[in-house]
Amino acid sequence: STFIHEGETGLLVEPENVNSLAACLQHIVENAESMQALAANGREFVRSEYSLRCHAEHLADVLQEIAIR
């Protein structure tokens, strides 16, 4: 996933893997401090990568590329 970086901005589990999900949930319950850090990292990632300024810069790049053609 481009939004979740394993161990940095969140935790990933395999689809339809109940054991993996249970282990992840247990980890969350037992490690509240590290989960708070993951949440803070996730918020910061979204703020920096998906801000209005970021979108405006990307749009400007796309428009400039179109104008060059």
Side-chain angles (χ1 to χ4, degrees):
S1 173
T2 59
F3 298 105
I4 300 173
H5 300 132
E6 179 66 31
E8 290 181 40
T9 60
L11 301 172
L12 298 170
V13 296
E14 294 179 34
E16 300 181 29
N17 185 331
V18 175
N19 293 330
S20 177
L21 177 59
C24 186
L25 291 173
Q26 183 174 1
H27 179 77
I28 289 169
V29 169
E30 294 174 353
N31 299 284
E33 270 188 38
S34 89
M35 292 304 100
Q36 289 173 348
L38 286 178
N41 291 343
R43 280 190 299 277
E44 182 55 35
F45 174 77
V46 170
R47 275 192 196 115
S48 67
E49 297 296 319
Y50 298 98
S51 67
L52 181 57
R53 178 184 172 137
C54 210
H55 283 293
E57 288 173 358
H58 178 70
L59 180 58
D61 291 344
V62 169
L63 293 174
Q64 185 174 19
E65 190 175 311
I66 291 170
I68 291 172
R69 292 182 191 173

